[in-house]
Structures are given as structure tokens and as C-alpha cells.
């Protein structure tokens, strides 16, 4: 109850700040003449409504144009298109051609993935590919300034004024390298510039997604492609991908002890990871605990409210349903709920963005289903 009260108070404060901010913007527009026709009277209520409507439209536009910038600059620097995601809607390249799909990544509103050119002397072009999104935001800001300079219509000028403000905010915040643990494009550039040895992991992630999109399975992968020197390269959000790929290979071969060893090492070093990656590692540890020793105290420690919310945010990810299925069957011993998770998971398998990923998750769901069926027959 106390937590709900805190959330309600926080929501009220945010709404109040938003309303005051909107009023401030209306007054600013009237003062500097950015959004109003000369001599027009300001209707505060109408203006606030118009501003919030335009804010939503402009935000959607800038997110879409940002990801398009990555695609364009990627193509210009030798990359090959893999997928373009806007919220949970995805246009992606597959072995059978281009298709529209749905999946989401918590913490991101969009994403453009491109297959990188081959490594040359351990390097690939990464600056323009990462900068492309913010540069397209700034390009739209420039267009918005030009439109405002030539137009005196209240609605047109207000819309493009919002475009200027939001575009500048998104562009600057995206390229500002606030932390080496961050997930922004600026953080990527900073990391790769300071630590050129991390370029191989940036390349690895994009190259592997391309192989999965083309239909390659984890059982066909070469472990040498994911080699990490644990003595030299401390776990971070860049080389994490190599460890997770090795975990996937272990899952594909049902080598759960090896997967457990890898995940335990990541979990012990999760302090080096950003918040989202920490949750990803915790989910894999939870899954392996459930199908392994299944100690109730350990499961309770891992299956936190924060992790449950993260699972809800990952509703389009197939891995969500195998974790929930394992929890319902092996912890709650609820066969009905477990089979419901299985059915939902198999629906997601059919829509999984990459064939290799779909094959792996399907095998894990079937592995759990066998446990359910044994439990049912035993009872």
C-alpha cells in the first residue's frame, strides 16, 4: 500500500510539472513569437492541449527519423540492413525476404540493426553509424527552423517549435557520453574510441544477429567466434554479448552445467553492467536455478518485483515465457499455468525475429514441457 501511495504521489507531481511546463511553453511562444500569429490571443487551455498533442506526434516522428538515420549512415559506410524497429513494430530481413514483426527491448523506443562490413585490422567504421540517428534529429531540427521562418500559422509554428525543442533534446542526450555503462550512441562511440579492443564485441553482436536472421542455428556456431579472455577483459556491457552467446550455445546443446558456469561468472560481476543488462543476467540465473537445484530461498531472492516487471516489459520476447514456465512448473508446481506459458511461448516462437533464436527457444520450451508431462503422469 505504501508503495502504491508513493507511485500515486510521484504520478501527481509529474503531471503537475508537465502542466506547469506546458503553460510555461505557451507563455514562451507568446513572448518570442515562435508559435503564434501576430495579434492572436492565447487560450491557455487550448494551447496546452495542442502542445501535448504535438509533443506526442513530434516525439514519435523524431524516434522514427532517429532510427532511419542509423540505417542511412550504416548503408553509406558499408553496412547491410538487418532490421528497423519502431517501439515494438519491426521491419526485418529474413532468409525468406523482408517481413513485419513485433518484439521489444526494454529501455529502448526503437532500434536499427545493420550487418557490419568485415573487420580490417580489427576495426570497422562505427562513428558515422552511431552518429547517424542524432544527425537525422538535428537535420529535422534544421528543417523545422526553416519552416518556422517561412510560416506564421499558429498550429504549424507550434508543431515545428516542439520539433526543434524535442529534436535538440533527443539529439544532444543521445550523443552525450554520460557513462561507459550507458546504452546511448554517444556511450558506444566513447567506449570504442577509448577501448579499441571492444570493437570486436560490437562487430560480434551485429554479425551474429545477421547470421541468426539468415537462418543459422546456435548448434552450427563456432565457439571460437565468442572467445573472451577472462583474465584480461573484465565483464562489461560490451563483452557481455560474447558470454550470452556462449550461454545460448550451451543451451542449444543442453549443456546446462556450462551455461550455469558462464552465468554465475556474469552474476558475480554484474556490478560492471548497466541496469538492463543486470536484469538479463539475473533472469538467466533464475532460469538455471529453477531447472537445477531449485532452492526456494535462492529463487525468492532472484524473482523480485523488479524482475517480474521486467518480464512484463519483455512480453514479446520468447525467453520470457520459458522463464515463467519454469517458475510455474518447478517452483509453484502448477501444471496448468506452466502449459499456458508454453502455449504463449510457442505463439511467440512463430513470430520470433530470427530463425536461430526461435529454434533455440522452442527447444527449451519443449524441454520444459517434457518435465510437465512427467509430472502429470507421475501424479
Amino acid at each position: 500500500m505504501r508503495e502504491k501511495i508513493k507511485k500515486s504521489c510521484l504520478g501527481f507531481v509529474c503531471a503537475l510539472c508537465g502542466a506547469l511546463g506546458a503553460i510555461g511553453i505557451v507563455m514562451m511562444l507568446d513572448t518570442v513569437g515562435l508559435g503564434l500569429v501576430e495579434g492572436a490571443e492565447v487560450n491557455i487551455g487550448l494551447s496546452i492541449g495542442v502542445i501535448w498533442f504535438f509533443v506526442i506526434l513530434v516525439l514519435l516522428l523524431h524516434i522514427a527519423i532517429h532510427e532511419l538515420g542509423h540505417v542511412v549512415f550504416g548503408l553509406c559506410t558499408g553496412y547491410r540492413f538487418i532490421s528497423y524497429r519502431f517501439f515494438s513494430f519491426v521491419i526485418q530481413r529474413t532468409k525468406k525476404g523482408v517481413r513485419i514483426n513485433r518484439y521489444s527491448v526494454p529501455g529502448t523506443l526503437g532500434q536499427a540493426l545493420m550487418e557490419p562490413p568485415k573487420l580490417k585490422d580489427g576495426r570497422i567504421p562505427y562513428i558515422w553509424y552511431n552518429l547517424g540517428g542524432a544527425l537525422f534529429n538535428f537535420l529535422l531540427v534544421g528543417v523545422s527552423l526553416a519552416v518556422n521562418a517561412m510560416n506564421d500559422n499558429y498550429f504549424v509554428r507550434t508543431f515545428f517549435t516542439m520539433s526543434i525543442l524535442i529534436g535538440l533534446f533527443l539529439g544532444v542526450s543521445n550523443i552525450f557520453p554520460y557513462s561507459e555503462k550507458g546504452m546511448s550512441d554517444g556511450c558506444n562511440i566513447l567506449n570504442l574510441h577509448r577501448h579499441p579492443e571492444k570493437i570486436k564485441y560490437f562487430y560480434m553482436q551485429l554479425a551474429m544477429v545477421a547470421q541468426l536472421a539468415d537462418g543459422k542455428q546456435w548448434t552450427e556456431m563456432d565457439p571460437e567466434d565468442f572467445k573472451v579472455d577472462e583474465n584480461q577483459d573484465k565483464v562489461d556491457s560490451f563483452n557481455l554479448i560474447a558470454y550470452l552467446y556462449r550461454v545460448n550455445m550451451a543451451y542449444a546443446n543442453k549443456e546446462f552445467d556450462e551455461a550455469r558456469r558462464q552465468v554465475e561468472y556474469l552474476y558475480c560481476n554484474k556490478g560492471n553492467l548497466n541496469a538492463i543488462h543486470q536484469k538479463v543476467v539475473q533472469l538467466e540465473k533464475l532460469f538455471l536455478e529453477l531447472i537445477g537445484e531449485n532452492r526456494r530461498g535462492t529463487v525468492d531472492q532472484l524473482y523480485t518485483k523488479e524482475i517480474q516487471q521486467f518480464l512484463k516489459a519483455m512480453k514479446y520476447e520468447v525467453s520470457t515465457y520459458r522463464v515463467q514456465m519454469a517458475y510455474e512448473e518447478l517452483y509453484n508446481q502448477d501444471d496448468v499455468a506452466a502449459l499456458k506459458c508454453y502455449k504463449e511461448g510457442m505463439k511467440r516462437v512463430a513470430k520470433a525475429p530470427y530463425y536461430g533464436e526461435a529454434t533455440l527457444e522452442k527447444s527449451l520450451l519443449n524441454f520444459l514441457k517434457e518435465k510437465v508431462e512427467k509430472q502429470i503422469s507421475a501424479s
Side-chain angles (χ1 to χ4, degrees):
M1 176 65 71
R2 194 173 290 178
E3 192 66 28
K4 288 183 178 179
I5 293 174
K6 285 183 180 179
K7 288 183 178 179
S8 298
C9 290
L10 180 62
F12 174 76
V13 171
C14 290
L16 180 61
C17 290
L20 292 174
I23 292 173
I25 291 173
V26 171
M27 292 179 175
M28 179 271 289
L29 293 175
D30 186 36
T31 301
V32 302
L34 287 174
L36 300 176
V37 184
E38 186 177 352
E41 295 184 1
V42 180
N43 182 313
I44 294 293
L46 175 62
S47 295
I48 290 175
V50 168
I51 285 173
W52 279 116
F53 177 68
F54 284 166
V55 163
I56 294 172
L57 286 183
V58 167
L59 184 60
L60 295 176
L61 177 61
H62 270 284
I63 291 170
I65 206 75
H66 179 94
E67 300 307 329
L68 181 61
H70 287 305
V71 172
V72 171
F73 276 84
L75 292 173
C76 290
T77 52
Y79 288 71
R80 182 178 170 222
F81 178 78
I82 299 176
S83 65
Y84 172 93
R85 178 171 61 82
F86 178 65
F87 285 86
S88 63
F89 294 93
V90 188
I91 301 172
Q92 64 183 104
R93 187 192 88 213
T94 68
K95 192 175 182 180
K96 297 181 180 179
V98 176
R99 71 167 179 168
I100 297 176
N101 205 344
R102 291 193 73 184
Y103 74 92
S104 60
V105 179
T108 65
L109 299 176
Q111 189 177 41
L113 294 176
M114 307 286 286
E115 181 180 358
K118 296 296 181 182
L119 285 167
K120 292 183 180 179
D121 299 322
R123 302 184 70 86
I124 56 171
Y126 64 85
I127 294 178
W128 290 112
Y129 172 57
N130 279 283
L131 278 180
L135 291 177
F136 261 48
N137 288 133
F138 295 143
L139 177 63
L140 186 52
V141 167
V143 171
S144 300
L145 285 168
V147 171
N148 269 1
M150 298 183 293
N151 199 292
D152 62 358
N153 180 273
Y154 168 76
F155 294 105
V156 172
R157 289 175 64 84
T158 300
F159 177 87
F160 284 103
T161 297
M162 293 300 101
S163 177
I164 294 166
L165 297 174
I166 291 175
L168 287 173
F169 172 77
L170 290 179
V172 172
S173 63
N174 191 264
I175 61 174
F176 184 77
Y178 54 88
S179 167
E180 287 198 2
K181 293 183 182 180
M183 296 178 66
S184 72
D185 299 318
C187 294
N188 284 344
I189 294 172
L190 176 67
N191 265 297
L192 296 175
H193 175 71
R194 286 183 176 176
H195 310 284
E197 70 277 6
K198 293 183 179 182
I199 292 176
K200 64 181 178 182
Y201 298 117
F202 181 70
Y203 171 84
M204 180 192 301
Q205 179 178 10
L206 296 176
M208 194 52 54
V209 170
Q211 291 187 54
L212 292 171
D214 288 338
K216 197 168 185 178
Q217 300 186 40
W218 286 107
T219 51
E220 302 173 299
M221 303 295 183
D222 184 354
E224 289 297 311
D225 291 342
F226 317 129
K227 196 171 182 179
V228 181
D229 188 342
E230 295 181 6
N231 296 320
Q232 285 191 344
D233 295 347
K234 68 176 183 179
V235 173
D236 60 31
S237 292
F238 262 84
N239 64 27
L240 171 68
I241 199 68
Y243 288 101
L244 292 179
Y245 284 167
R246 289 160 73 178
V247 170
N248 284 345
M249 287 189 67
Y251 281 161
N253 294 306
K254 300 298 186 292
E255 297 172 351
F256 295 116
D257 287 339
E258 172 60 19
R260 195 169 289 110
R261 187 187 75 82
Q262 297 285 345
V263 171
E264 192 62 38
Y265 178 73
L266 291 173
Y267 192 77
C268 290
N269 292 276
K270 67 175 184 175
N272 299 330
L273 305 174
N274 61 50
I276 291 178
H277 289 159
Q278 287 184 19
K279 293 184 182 70
V280 170
V281 170
Q282 188 167 327
L283 277 180
E284 296 304 338
K285 182 173 172 61
L286 171 63
F287 175 72
L288 289 164
E289 177 65 31
L290 287 165
I291 67 173
E293 296 184 56
N294 195 20
R295 296 163 292 188
R296 297 192 72 83
T298 304
V299 172
D300 290 337
Q301 186 180 15
L302 294 170
Y303 195 65
T304 61
K305 287 185 178 180
E306 194 175 17
I307 284 296
Q308 292 173 44
Q309 292 172 351
F310 188 66
L311 283 168
K312 289 180 181 179
M314 292 176 62
K315 62 182 179 179
Y316 294 116
E317 288 286 328
V318 186
S319 59
T320 296
Y321 298 96
R322 56 127 156 126
V323 174
Q324 290 179 326
M325 183 179 179
Y327 182 80
E328 294 295 349
E329 175 58 25
L330 302 172
Y331 182 85
N332 286 338
Q333 297 183 344
D334 188 335
D335 301 332
V336 175
L339 288 174
K340 183 178 179 181
C341 291
Y342 174 80
K343 291 178 181 177
E344 291 299 319
M346 293 303 285
K347 288 179 182 178
R348 294 310 317 164
V349 164
K351 298 179 180 180
Y354 310 115
Y355 179 77
E357 177 195 13
T359 303
L360 171 62
E361 295 297 342
K362 183 179 180 179
S363 70
L364 291 173
L365 285 168
N366 285 327
F367 166 77
L368 292 170
K369 187 184 178 186
E370 289 177 9
K371 289 184 175 292
V372 176
E373 291 171 343
K374 286 181 182 179
Q375 181 67 25
I376 293 174
S377 61
S379 59

